[in-house]
Amino acid sequence: MELRFFNTLERRVMPFHPLVPGEVGMYTCGPTVYNFAHIGNFRAYVFEDVLRRTLEFFGYRVRQVMNLTDVDDKTIRDSRAAGLPLREFTAKYKEAFFEDIRSLFIEPAEVYPAATDHIAQMIELIEVLMQRGYAYQSEDKCVYFSIDKFPDYGRLARIDRENQRAGVRINADEYAKDSVADFALWKAWDEADGDVGWESPWGRGRPGWHIECSAMSCEYLGHHFDIHTGGVDNMFPHHEDEIAQSEAAFGGKWVNYWLHCEHLMLNGEKMSKSLGNFYTLRDLRAKGWSGREIRWVLIGAHYRKKLNFTFDALEQSRETLARFDAMFQRMREIEAHGDGAEIAAAVTAALGHFRSALADDLNTAAAIAALFELSKTANKLADSGTLSAAGAGSVLAAFREFDRVIGCLEVDRVRAGAAIPAEVTALAEQRAAARKARNFAESDRLRDEIARLGFTIEDAPGGAYRLKKC
């Protein structure tokens, strides 16, 4: 089955063909480590994780590089405000980022390059751009990229350059979409930088934000690789500038596929630090929500659609995962004989639907529907007493396959309270016997006794029953 992705550069869904058969080089935009990342950021990181897991699910070996931006306008500004050296200030947020991605079941990238460890590579890349005539040093001692020298500038973000003013320069790392202008590759040191600076052929200074990713991706993936990802807010200026400087320096096409995820909304509004309407992962966990519950919400909508984040969605996530947990426990407890033929077709269909949904530009919503359908079928067969242990095992095996991408089902984890105490099981067996004897008064008494011990009992046809923790 062929994978297909929406390539932002082409504005269409395209078959995926890597440069090297069976292998994928992927660069994913990581955090700027000046604060705790909010869950809007984590929507992008979880999307990138689903992409990675899907590629692996389809048999590819992935080399993923995710940068850590530890020097830019914001990290310098906030480290100085905190009265801490830049490296000491950013170390706290690097550590927090890795703790957060572990709690969201995000697979680690192969490389996490920090910008401050790759200054030499950035200087070397800027020297190439100077030599090839794409960069110049201005009167303010900064080095800029001349977008007039790169005719394809604006192709990714569909920028209209007709009305731009030639010669306008922008020193800031981030700027508005209507500010199309030459951007800084190297910023001359000034007092606002404090003790942050490196020596270069153009004087003491520091790199611009955009050159960092080009230099680090080149270091670990080469001059031409398969996939570059990020949020839609990275498309301009960051990704547009990356393309210009990289293709100007290396010649030819830099990245084959660009994938961007949409914004996460909070109660219908874009979530962002600048607006102040955001939650960090730590805020949500302090309120009692688990990483797996948050992840389930984040993967629930297609990555190219806005996702409205609400606490109602978290409640639904908790209930859904609890139902899956109960189903997994139920499957483990089934002991009936049989070869599993009673559910084989449903398992095969669910795996097929799951795979085809993911192949269709990571359609996670459709993929998750396959999980619900198989769970419904398995429970229905278990209720009727016709599901064998072999069939239950095949259901669990299918969900393990699903979890290679979903990442938070934890099929084989026996949760606290999941095991049924022997006392409760004995009472349930006595109640089943009472019901069979049509002694309904005794049956009701035993049901109440089971409830007193913290369990509910659900009756099924044929005298079967199901125990659940209250």
Side-chain angles (χ1 to χ4, degrees):
M1 187 178 293
E2 188 176 59
L3 277 171
R4 301 176 302 280
F5 298 131
F6 183 88
N7 188 350
T8 307
L9 191 65
E10 303 289 342
R11 295 299 195 277
R12 62 188 176 94
V13 175
M14 301 172 58
F16 176 67
H17 300 296
L19 292 168
V20 178
E23 299 181 9
V24 178
M26 179 167 71
Y27 190 87
T28 55
C29 279
T32 301
V33 285
Y34 73 105
N35 207 327
F36 298 113
H38 62 63
I39 57 169
N41 305 133
F42 282 112
R43 192 207 179 174
Y45 305 147
V46 169
F47 144 67
E48 290 159 352
D49 182 59
V50 169
L51 171 59
R52 176 199 172 95
R53 286 169 173 267
T54 296
L55 289 164
E56 292 173 335
F57 186 79
F58 278 80
Y60 292 101
R61 184 168 69 249
V62 179
R63 178 170 174 78
Q64 180 185 2
V65 179
M66 176 180 274
N67 67 294
L68 303 173
T69 299
D70 60 352
V71 57
D72 77 329
D73 296 345
K74 291 181 287 194
T75 53
I76 294 172
R77 177 197 67 202
D78 288 6
S79 65
R80 295 201 70 192
L84 292 172
L86 181 66
R87 189 171 290 273
E88 182 180 342
F89 174 77
T90 58
K92 169 185 176 181
Y93 296 112
K94 289 177 185 177
E95 182 179 352
F97 169 72
F98 288 118
E99 290 174 358
D100 286 347
I101 63 172
R102 282 192 294 270
S103 73
L104 286 172
F105 303 89
I106 292 175
E107 289 188 344
E110 280 63 37
V111 189
Y112 289 99
T116 53
D117 294 331
H118 297 80
I119 302 298
Q121 290 90 332
M122 297 172 201
I123 290 173
E124 181 180 351
L125 181 54
I126 296 170
E127 287 183 307
V128 171
L129 290 168
M130 292 282 282
Q131 292 165 6
R132 300 194 66 181
Y134 288 98
Y136 63 92
Q137 187 170 23
S138 71
E139 62 277 3
D140 63 3
K141 305 301 181 183
C142 297
V143 178
Y144 292 91
F145 183 92
S146 174
I147 63 172
D148 280 343
K149 298 290 181 65
F150 190 76
D152 282 344
Y153 188 86
R155 188 159 64 97
L156 178 70
R158 299 295 197 265
I159 298 297
D160 179 9
R161 294 177 53 190
E162 289 185 4
N163 297 317
Q164 73 181 61
R165 291 184 294 141
V168 174
R169 292 186 291 268
I170 291 181
N171 191 295
D173 286 330
E174 299 175 85
Y175 44 89
K177 189 168 182 176
D178 58 358
S179 300
V180 179
D182 294 355
F183 56 90
L185 300 170
W186 187 261
K187 297 186 176 187
W189 182 90
D190 64 27
E191 291 184 3
D193 294 331
D195 61 355
V196 177
W198 292 264
E199 297 303 325
S200 80
W202 317 284
R204 185 168 178 78
R206 62 181 177 88
W209 174 33
H210 315 298
I211 199 69
E212 296 177 3
C213 288
S214 291
M216 291 186 288
S217 65
C218 171
E219 179 75 7
Y220 297 102
L221 295 173
H223 294 175
H224 187 196
F225 57 93
D226 297 300
I227 299 174
H228 196 314
T229 72
V232 291
D233 50 337
N234 290 137
M235 195 185 305
F236 187 91
H238 186 47
H239 291 166
E240 195 71 63
D241 292 354
E242 282 185 79
I243 291 172
Q245 65 202 9
S246 300
E247 296 190 354
F250 309 145
K253 194 171 189 177
W254 179 45
V255 174
N256 282 357
Y257 298 85
W258 288 85
L259 276 69
H260 293 90
C261 74
E262 260 291 356
H263 295 300
L264 184 142
M265 317 294 284
L266 178 64
N267 296 321
E269 294 184 345
K270 179 188 171 185
M271 184 181 296
S272 70
K273 289 189 177 77
S274 60
L275 294 175
N277 65 335
F278 68 93
Y279 289 104
T280 67
L281 195 63
R282 287 143 193 267
D283 293 334
L284 295 177
R285 296 190 70 187
K287 293 178 181 292
W289 303 104
S290 68
R292 71 193 291 251
E293 291 163 347
I294 297 166
R295 181 184 173 96
W296 183 264
V297 175
L298 295 178
I299 66 175
H302 193 280
Y303 75 94
R304 287 194 290 113
K305 294 182 178 179
K306 290 183 173 66
L307 173 62
N308 191 32
F309 186 90
T310 67
F311 285 98
D312 284 344
L314 280 174
E315 289 281 4
Q316 293 169 11
S317 171
R318 174 168 291 176
E319 293 172 5
T320 297
L321 290 171
R323 287 197 297 271
F324 280 132
D325 290 342
M327 188 271 290
F328 300 149
Q329 181 63 24
R330 188 181 195 188
M331 295 298 106
R332 286 190 286 268
E333 294 170 354
I334 289 176
E335 298 177 348
H337 296 296
D339 59 5
E342 70 281 356
I343 200 168
V347 168
T348 299
L351 286 168
H353 293 157
F354 184 79
R355 191 176 182 86
S356 63
L358 292 174
D360 184 18
D361 193 29
L362 305 180
N363 190 343
T364 51
I368 287 170
L371 277 64
F372 286 115
E373 189 61 31
L374 181 57
S375 178
K376 178 181 176 181
T377 301
N379 276 321
K380 185 175 180 180
L381 289 173
D383 288 343
S384 67
T386 57
L387 183 63
S388 64
S394 68
V395 171
L396 291 173
F399 274 87
R400 291 187 195 102
E401 283 295 291
F402 299 150
D403 209 33
R404 290 176 58 194
V405 178
I406 300 300
C408 60
L409 295 175
E410 299 185 303
V411 178
D412 296 306
R413 180 178 174 183
V414 178
R415 302 187 176 278
I420 309 297
E423 179 185 7
V424 174
T425 301
L427 289 170
E429 287 295 320
Q430 293 173 34
R431 181 176 177 275
R435 290 184 73 234
K436 187 175 181 180
R438 304 186 64 81
N439 187 348
F440 297 117
E442 179 65 2
S443 171
D444 291 344
R445 185 191 71 78
L446 290 166
R447 182 197 59 206
D448 293 342
E449 182 67 12
I450 290 168
R452 187 183 65 79
L453 294 173
F455 289 81
T456 60
I457 187 165
E458 298 176 355
D459 295 317
Y465 60 85
R466 180 183 179 189
L467 288 165
K468 293 176 63 178
K469 181 75 174 175
C470 293

